[in-house]
Amino acid sequence: MKKLFDSIKSSSRANEKKFARADLVMNITEDLLIEMESQSLTKSDLASQLGKSKAYIGQTLSGERNMTLHTLSDFCYELDVKPMIKLVPKKSAFKELHWEEFKKTLICTRIPNNTIAINDCGSAAKYVRLAQ
């Protein structure tokens, strides 16, 4: 398990950059979709308001199409929300994970007979029977 952790931790800068990009796109599009849902607004409704096709909206919100800041602004304007972007140093945004902290992560596995095995990666599993 430590080898797997080390290989993930030492991934290349290019992979980290791709992950950061995907994470940003996912977070923004998810926020837009949540806001649309809260307003009971469909992709078709938003497309109509923006004068775009439903396919364009779908591609943009799925990450298939590049969303520019102009596009984000237009989406937010039609949703009557204001986008807020805050830039913070990576070290304060993402706490570095060390092996000792990682191995304390709980792993829960459901096994037969309504039982869950809880393992903290550093000791023997504990078993908890669920109420029926």
Side-chain angles (χ1 to χ4, degrees), residues 25 29 43 53-67 71 75:
V25 169
T29 56
K43 292 176 187 172
S53 69
K54 182 181 173 188
Y56 172 85
I57 302 300
Q59 291 167 354
T60 303
L61 292 175
S62 70
E64 292 175 41
R65 181 182 290 271
N66 187 22
M67 182 185 298
T71 305
F75 278 40

Side-chain angles (χ1 to χ4, degrees), residues 16-124:
E16 289 176 10
K17 185 177 179 180
K18 286 178 188 176
F19 176 78
R21 183 183 306 136
D23 187 50
L24 177 63
V25 169
M26 183 190 70
N27 284 316
I28 289 173
T29 56
E30 183 178 11
D31 287 350
L32 290 169
L33 289 166
I34 289 169
E35 184 59 35
M36 288 172 62
E37 185 177 322
S38 76
Q39 295 183 25
S40 300
L41 196 69
T42 65
K43 292 176 187 172
S44 295
D45 296 333
L46 185 59
S48 177
Q49 291 175 355
L50 289 168
K52 302 286 186 181
S53 69
K54 182 181 173 188
Y56 172 85
I57 302 300
Q59 291 167 354
T60 303
L61 292 175
S62 70
E64 292 175 41
R65 181 182 290 271
N66 187 22
M67 182 185 298
T68 66
L69 291 175
H70 297 273
T71 305
L72 175 60
S73 178
D74 291 347
F75 278 40
C76 291
Y77 181 82
E78 293 302 333
L79 293 171
D80 199 27
V81 295
K82 180 179 178 179
M84 296 187 64
I85 299 171
K86 183 175 182 177
L87 305 176
V88 294
K90 282 193 282 187
K91 289 185 183 198
S92 66
F94 305 105
K95 182 182 174 195
E96 186 176 340
L97 189 62
H98 297 281
W99 169 246
E100 291 303 315
E101 295 168 14
F102 179 75
K103 74 179 186 179
K104 292 178 187 173
T105 303
L106 291 179
I107 298 174
C108 298
T109 308
R110 187 170 189 136
I111 56 177
N113 301 325
N114 280 342
T115 303
I116 295 180
I118 302 173
N119 189 338
D120 65 1
C121 300
S123 64

